[in-house]
Amino acid sequence: MPADLDNSSTASGEVSGSSSGGNNPSQPLQSTAATPKKKRNLPGMPDPAAEVIALSPKTLMATNRFVCEICNKGFQRDQNLQLHRRGHNLPWKLRQRSGKDVKKRVYVCPEVSCVHHDPSRALGDLTGIKKHFCRKHGEKKWKCDKCSKKYAVQSDWKAHSKICGTREYKCDCGTLFSRRDSFITHRAFCDALAEESGRAHPRHPTPPPPSNRSTGPDPTAIVDSAPPPAPPAPPPSQSSAPSPSVSPIHSPELIETQDPAPIMEEPLAPAATVNASCSSSSTISSSNGSTTSTVFASLFASSTTASETTPPPQPQQETHSFTDLIRAMASHPDHTHTTVELAPPPTEPISLCLSTSHGSSIFGQERHYAPQPPSMSATALLQKAAQMGSSATNASLLRGLGIVSSASSQLDIWGQRHMEADNSSVHHHHQHPVLGLGLLPCDGGSGLKELMMGSTSSSVFGPKHATLDFLGLGMAAVGAGPSSSGLSALITSIGGGLDVAASFGAGEFSGKDIGSSS
Amino acid sequence: MYQDDGSSSATSSPLQFFSMAQLSPNPSNLGSPYPYLRELKSEERGLYLIHLLLTCANHVATGSLESAEVALGQISQLSAPDGDTMQRIAAYFTEALAERIIKAWPGVHRALNATKIKIPSEETMVRSLFYEMFPFLKVAFVVTNQAILEAMEGEKMVHVIDLNASEPSQWIALLQALSGRAEGPPHLRITGIHQQREVLDRMSHKLVEEAERLDIPFQFNPIVVSGGLENLDPEKLRVKTGEALAISSVLQLHPFLASHKNPNSRLLQRQGTLGELGKMDWFLNVLWGLSPKVMVVTEQDSNHNGATLMERLLEALYSYAALFDCLESTVPRSSIERLKVEKMMFGEEIKNIVACEGGERKERHEKLEKWIHRIEMAGFVNLGLSYYGMLQGKGLLESYGCDGYRMKEENGCAVICWQDRPLYSVSSWRCRK
């Protein structure tokens, strides 16, 4: 008879076999609701002969688990229960506990989807399983007073409150650490923003990027993990052509270059998918030999210095440098000089190159939905637009009005002409005479108030001019300079009804009804 | 960033700025802008659509009709109700904006809508499509049932009032849960309210059948109201003494926020003192007067009731983007049902939010905290949803198979989100004595 239960697995077969004979499945731990299931042990466990106990959540959380059979009084500890039972004057036989009470017990988590629900992953300690259940599947009832962290287990909460506020280390991405080792580890792999961008998109069963990193065997995933500080701003992955196979090779280089710039993370969360950043980083690395590469390096350096001087990440600034990179990537080599100069100033007007000529877009690779052709989710697009918008607060007039005015062939011509005049008009108003200078009668939101920036320059043109301006009708150019006088004439001739005065007139009856709400 | 809850107002302003951002094409493409538009990739097109949409909305808000006209024309070249998500959203939003513009000419508007036939069965069908294709109502039902079950522990006589009885499956589930009660099932009475007699008859049939199968004493009382819940006569509810009352309100409270007092409602005329009370206060008072043991309220959790058009449009853009994304992730683009839900349910809601004002605008969705405040003011106490109820709801969401759906707890209420955008909330209340 195996008196001692060896923890080694060699004797597991015999041990479990013989102990099964002697085991009588009673229910000593039954206190309230459900019946704890007794299962046969699976081989391979640390303690194969241990008794597996599965308790219901109610039982698990019950404070008085030990119940006296005689009077149903509950106790927190077994010893207390024994003491109590002595008082019942039981006959000798009953007073004894049913034999081998040194039998080891292991517990499974009642939550079905949990890893510890499987008896082979059972936890050996009752308190342990209680805490695990609370932590993972429980509601967080304890809240730290200093910060907003919530805990399901009281001891966790106490431990945290001791530490809370004593943090000393702060990563550039904003995360705080109280321990030096965890801080260093995190900083080496700081990719918080990259993670969030991965989470932004509703992916089908694919797990979010962090877990991708740990499990992905394909080169894309490898590159994900390799240059975590690397993807500063995904330049146009026009070289989605450079296959991911290129990336792993070059990623080590990138890590080195990126090390001093941990801030340079993807500012545009939705656009910058991790895939995009991979291919973009491969782009950067593959173009190392070309003349533009030095530009990029200097851009990184310049934007690094620019961003380091600023407090922890402001998306606007990073977006600027990001779009600078885009322009650098998308434009021809002869433009690189200008882009280098333009890199630092944050008030640089953003121009998104919606060019398709390069065969790629800054918007990175496309998402994959199971049934549909890959396309970006609307939520992600809105987020991206919001971020682009937030960085474009000081953007000057619409350029490239060729797009906007494509509606009619007449406007085509005008569009081309306007492009020429554009450069001049750009200089005239840096502050965008945004709409709604008091035109939005019911303005309550702060967002709308911000629209009213640039009011000074717009006073020259009048607000309605500004609105028309969006459509690239260039009305704001009126009065801006001699070059645009021809434009206004052209505009009035085109639209017929596009007379500025007419729009004012139209505003009479419609502005009140349309713009206002009851 | 988007991870903040309820920070949509913070992000809405940058989104507006987006409409002012430059979108410059590659200079080499200038010669032929129209084919260039065709070549736009889905993402670029999406961003461009957002740009145009916001521009157009700005024009509509400020009354620049011609500019709005141009913008609408441009959007219509890119949008499509059967395209990708952003194209669809743009289509419905521009339709709503156009509707708003037309409303400035009431004669024209009326003429355009003169021959519109409202087929109630179509609306019911769309509603049931919404129930099928999204987990929101199912989760709401599960959580509601659990809250009712817990509140009715030990009760022998239970009366449930369903303010919009359209899905029998909810109550079938409740019947089954009640039959499994330790102390045996109670005597159950369900009062269902709906606009259509046929729906109530069908529900009655199914529920009675199920109750007989489970051997539960059961009674179904149908109440037909036409023209909305505001025409409900509380007397008809016949709440008896001695029975424990549960009220289930699924997306039924927000129309009462329409401020314009409905002169057609006989009840409002009868209750002469209603000069000061809005309809919402009146209705909540009616509910409070019934002394329910538990009242479970499911509502949208979005702020679509802003005072200005732009506020509402921006919020709606985010919310419906999330909803359209749900569909995009779970249903193929060619699905007719998806088109129907998008057009007849969401499209109509968007139209209502964007184009209507005053008493016409029924889709006055508000954030959960506002609802909590409002219901508390009406004399209710937040019961909070139990751990088990939340667990069941979450389990249902997870089993749905699409990992974009999330559920979280806020102030004791359940909030169902898509990604990080809260969409619907469920809260449970009892009367404060």
Side-chain angles (χ1 to χ4, degrees):
Chain A
M1 181 169 106
D4 23 352
L5 302 170
D6 205 284
N7 269 347
S8 68
S9 53
T10 52
S12 62
E14 293 93 20
V15 169
S16 49
S18 50
S19 61
S20 69
N23 191 20
N24 66 329
S26 57
Q27 291 128 27
L29 298 174
Q30 171 68 278
S31 53
T32 43
T35 327
K37 300 177 288 186
K38 296 286 173 57
K39 296 186 187 175
R40 267 305 106 218
N41 322 314
L42 296 179
M45 267 172 45
D47 195 343
E51 188 183 4
V52 179
I53 312 238
L55 303 165
S56 79
K58 222 172 168 187
T59 323
L60 201 55
M61 306 307 295
T63 44
N64 296 342
R65 286 192 43 249
F66 299 94
V67 183
C68 172
E69 309 92 25
I70 320 274
C71 62
N72 271 335
K73 193 166 151 70
F75 296 91
Q76 288 214 15
R77 288 210 185 87
D78 190 32
Q79 300 92 314
N80 301 353
L81 171 63
Q82 294 315 308
L83 270 174
H84 160 83
R85 282 171 88 242
R86 287 220 294 236
H88 280 304
N89 293 325
L90 297 163
W92 175 246
K93 272 197 204 148
L94 283 176
R95 215 192 290 174
Q96 273 176 331
R97 293 282 276 159
S98 48
K100 28 195 169 7
D101 49 349
V102 290
K103 180 181 300 184
K104 182 99 170 68
R105 294 195 185 96
V106 292
Y107 304 90
V108 288
C109 180
E111 171 69 27
V112 182
S113 60
C114 183
V115 131
H116 292 289
H117 187 72
D118 188 4
S120 65
R121 297 290 309 272
L123 303 174
D125 183 39
L126 178 63
T127 323
I129 196 78
K130 277 177 160 182
K131 286 198 178 171
H132 155 82
F133 184 73
C134 279
R135 267 193 215 113
K136 292 286 165 58
H137 316 297
E139 51 175 340
K140 303 187 172 171
K141 297 182 207 140
W142 282 277
K143 184 191 160 306
C144 171
D145 355 318
K146 293 177 208 158
C147 67
S148 64
K149 280 191 102 159
K150 284 182 149 187
Y151 293 91
V153 180
Q154 193 180 14
S155 47
D156 292 347
W157 170 75
K158 273 192 189 165
H160 165 82
S161 338
K162 285 187 190 166
I163 289 197
C164 185
T166 64
R167 298 179 178 118
E168 292 176 36
Y169 305 98
K170 185 173 180 183
C171 174
D172 298 308
C173 71
T175 325
L176 294 165
F177 296 91
S178 58
R179 297 174 52 153
R180 181 178 161 77
D181 48 0
S182 41
F183 168 61
I184 291 181
T185 317
H186 163 85
R187 206 171 49 161
F189 294 102
C190 182
D191 50 1
L193 290 178
E195 276 178 36
E196 283 160 3
S197 75
R199 267 206 306 127
H201 304 290
R203 277 174 180 266
H204 262 305
T206 51
S211 45
N212 260 342
R213 264 183 220 107
S214 51
T215 58
D218 51 327
T220 325
I222 296 172
V223 180
D224 284 355
S225 54
S237 49
Q238 45 187 355
S239 34
S240 351
S243 55
S245 56
V246 179
S247 7
I249 310 167
H250 293 284
S251 52
E253 302 173 16
L254 275 173
I255 296 178
E256 285 146 21
T257 52
Q258 292 319 305
D259 228 10
I263 304 177
M264 295 298 297
E265 284 136 4
E266 300 174 354
L268 295 190
T273 70
V274 193
N275 288 337
S277 62
C278 299
S279 43
S280 60
S281 52
S282 62
T283 310
I284 301 168
S285 49
S286 56
S287 59
N288 260 336
S290 66
T291 44
T292 52
S293 66
T294 47
V295 174
F296 302 140
S298 60
L299 273 176
F300 285 175
S302 59
S303 39
T304 305
T305 49
S307 47
E308 271 176 353
T309 50
T310 62
Q314 293 167 1
Q316 290 85 349
Q317 284 209 323
E318 292 172 328
T319 316
H320 285 287
S321 37
F322 159 58
T323 48
D324 290 336
L325 280 170
I326 296 165
R327 289 183 28 232
M329 295 294 291
S331 59
H332 307 295
D334 46 304
H335 288 181
T336 51
H337 304 295
T338 44
T339 52
V340 174
E341 293 151 15
L342 290 173
T347 53
E348 174 66 32
I350 307 286
S351 65
L352 272 181
C353 301
L354 293 182
S355 62
T356 53
S357 63
H358 294 282
S360 70
S361 65
I362 45 173
F363 306 101
Q365 298 181 1
E366 293 163 331
R367 332 245 91 253
H368 288 279
Y369 285 79
Q372 264 74 264
S375 65
M376 207 176 197
S377 76
T379 321
L381 278 173
L382 283 170
Q383 295 296 337
K384 179 169 183 178
Q387 286 184 310
M388 280 164 52
S390 67
S391 53
T393 30
N394 291 325
S396 53
L397 283 182
L398 271 178
R399 299 209 262 123
L401 301 165
I403 311 175
V404 184
S405 54
S406 64
S408 67
S409 53
Q410 281 180 321
L411 288 174
D412 279 354
I413 308 162
W414 165 80
Q416 284 181 333
R417 283 205 213 172
H418 189 77
M419 270 307 289
E420 303 160 66
D422 185 49
N423 291 331
S424 55
S425 58
V426 165
H427 299 309
H428 288 291
H429 10 262
H430 278 287
Q431 295 238 316
H432 200 42
V434 173
L435 317 164
L437 301 164
L439 271 195
L440 303 172
C442 321
D443 169 30
S446 56
L448 295 175
K449 287 201 178 76
E450 290 173 56
L451 277 182
M452 300 197 184
M453 43 155 279
S455 52
T456 49
S457 61
S458 65
S459 56
V460 178
F461 316 122
K464 298 238 172 157
H465 288 281
T467 68
L468 288 178
D469 206 37
F470 271 2
L471 296 181
L473 299 180
M475 292 311 293
V478 171
S483 54
S484 27
S485 56
L487 278 175
S488 54
L490 191 58
I491 289 163
T492 48
S493 67
I494 287 174
L498 288 178
D499 190 18
V500 176
S503 72
F504 275 111
E508 274 175 16
F509 70 90
S510 54
K512 295 188 187 88
D513 297 341
I514 291 183
S516 63
S517 60
S518 57
Chain B
M1 295 267 246
Y2 59 84
Q3 69 264 29
D4 303 321
D5 305 325
S7 68
S8 50
S9 54
T11 46
S12 61
S13 52
L15 188 57
Q16 280 202 283
F17 291 139
F18 172 71
S19 65
M20 291 138 217
Q22 301 184 33
L23 293 178
S24 65
N26 190 351
S28 68
N29 268 341
L30 250 197
S32 53
Y34 187 67
Y36 160 73
L37 276 181
R38 286 235 186 92
E39 284 164 19
L40 277 181
K41 285 197 181 163
S42 147
E43 278 182 49
E44 297 163 343
R45 179 179 56 207
L47 284 173
Y48 193 47
L49 274 171
I50 299 175
H51 166 96
L52 285 174
L53 202 50
L54 293 171
T55 309
C56 181
N58 263 321
H59 288 312
V60 174
T62 57
S64 326
L65 288 191
E66 280 84 7
S67 324
E69 145 70 26
V70 177
L72 282 175
Q74 288 164 342
I75 301 178
S76 62
Q77 281 174 358
L78 295 174
S79 67
D82 52 357
D84 70 21
T85 329
M86 206 60 223
Q87 283 181 300
R88 293 177 187 229
I89 294 173
Y92 294 112
F93 270 86
T94 46
E95 191 184 349
L97 283 169
E99 173 102 1
R100 189 178 175 101
I101 295 176
I102 290 287
K103 275 184 180 254
W105 287 275
V108 175
H109 180 252
R110 211 170 287 133
L112 269 178
N113 294 319
T115 58
K116 235 180 221 172
I117 309 171
K118 246 192 170 184
I119 307 175
S121 60
E122 286 274 303
E123 294 178 13
T124 316
M125 183 265 307
V126 168
R127 185 72 199 268
S128 91
L129 278 179
F130 175 67
Y131 168 76
E132 292 291 336
M133 297 169 78
F134 291 95
F136 306 124
L137 287 187
K138 295 174 191 165
V139 171
F141 289 163
V142 156
V143 174
T144 305
N145 283 355
Q146 183 61 27
I148 294 179
L149 262 175
E150 287 166 8
M152 297 303 177
E153 249 176 73
E155 293 285 347
K156 297 284 185 290
M157 299 272 301
V158 176
H159 182 191
V160 177
I161 298 181
D162 187 351
L163 293 183
N164 187 28
S166 51
E167 290 298 328
S169 44
Q170 176 183 9
W171 305 120
I172 291 178
L174 184 66
L175 280 168
Q176 288 169 349
L178 283 174
S179 74
R181 264 196 342 178
E183 64 262 36
H187 181 109
L188 179 65
R189 195 155 78 89
I190 298 187
T191 301
I193 305 172
H194 202 265
Q195 301 216 6
Q196 289 176 267
R197 179 104 228 161
E198 301 80 37
V199 173
L200 290 175
D201 288 340
R202 184 176 138 257
M203 176 171 258
S204 166
H205 177 76
K206 286 204 156 178
L207 291 182
V208 165
E209 194 183 296
E210 184 72 13
E212 274 174 23
R213 191 179 72 84
L214 294 167
D215 198 23
I216 301 179
F218 176 72
Q219 223 187 350
F220 183 79
N221 304 119
I223 298 183
V224 181
V225 281
S226 52
L229 264 182
E230 60 205 26
N231 296 327
L232 174 68
D233 185 357
E235 306 293 324
K236 281 198 177 166
L237 293 171
R238 284 188 221 282
V239 177
K240 299 180 186 153
T241 50
E243 62 182 13
L245 181 62
I247 301 181
S248 162
S249 162
V250 177
L251 308 177
Q252 295 303 305
L253 287 186
H254 61 263
F256 285 94
L257 286 174
S259 55
H260 181 67
K261 291 190 182 44
N262 186 356
N264 298 329
S265 165
R266 322 178 271 110
L267 293 163
L268 285 178
Q269 286 168 354
R270 268 209 290 193
Q271 317 208 6
T273 55
L274 272 183
E276 307 81 37
L277 283 182
K279 285 190 292 191
M280 173 59 83
D281 297 322
W282 167 75
F283 192 66
L284 284 176
N285 200 31
V286 164
L287 294 180
W288 184 87
L290 299 172
S291 301
K293 189 149 192 224
V294 64
M295 176 171 82
V296 188
V297 175
T298 305
E299 279 294 329
Q300 287 95 342
D301 187 17
S302 314
N303 183 18
H304 295 155
N305 200 15
T308 65
L309 170 66
M310 281 313 286
E311 272 181 70
R312 296 203 303 272
L313 191 126
L314 283 170
E315 278 299 305
L317 208 48
Y318 279 104
S319 307
Y320 288 97
L323 285 168
F324 275 71
D325 281 339
C326 296
L327 282 175
E328 177 84 0
S329 309
T330 50
V331 183
R333 282 195 194 157
S334 49
S335 155
I336 297 285
E337 282 81 24
R338 174 179 168 183
L339 271 173
K340 281 188 178 169
V341 170
E342 286 176 351
K343 176 172 172 62
M344 294 161 70
M345 178 135 183
F346 296 147
E348 293 299 312
E349 282 180 10
I350 293 171
K351 230 189 259 186
N352 194 267
I353 293 172
V354 169
C356 300
E357 296 289 352
E360 261 195 320
R361 177 151 57 91
K362 298 281 181 195
E363 301 294 336
R364 294 186 180 247
H365 312 155
E366 291 202 338
K367 295 293 287 178
L368 175 62
E369 52 206 8
K370 279 197 164 174
W371 282 116
I372 290 178
H373 180 78
R374 192 172 281 131
I375 301 179
E376 270 176 6
M377 286 291 115
F380 290 90
V381 172
N382 192 350
L383 272 176
L385 294 169
S386 73
Y387 168 70
Y388 195 50
M390 292 292 290
L391 199 61
Q392 281 197 307
K394 284 181 187 164
L396 181 62
L397 266 186
E398 273 156 35
S399 73
Y400 212 71
C402 181
D403 71 345
Y405 292 112
R406 312 258 164 87
M407 188 161 136
K408 62 177 183 186
E409 197 202 322
E410 190 183 309
N411 287 337
C413 313
V415 178
I416 312 167
C417 316
W418 169 259
Q419 303 297 327
D420 291 297
R421 175 89 194 167
L423 291 172
Y424 293 92
S425 70
V426 187
S427 53
S428 131
W429 304 85
R430 71 164 170 83
C431 248
R432 181 175 57 225
K433 295 302 164 207

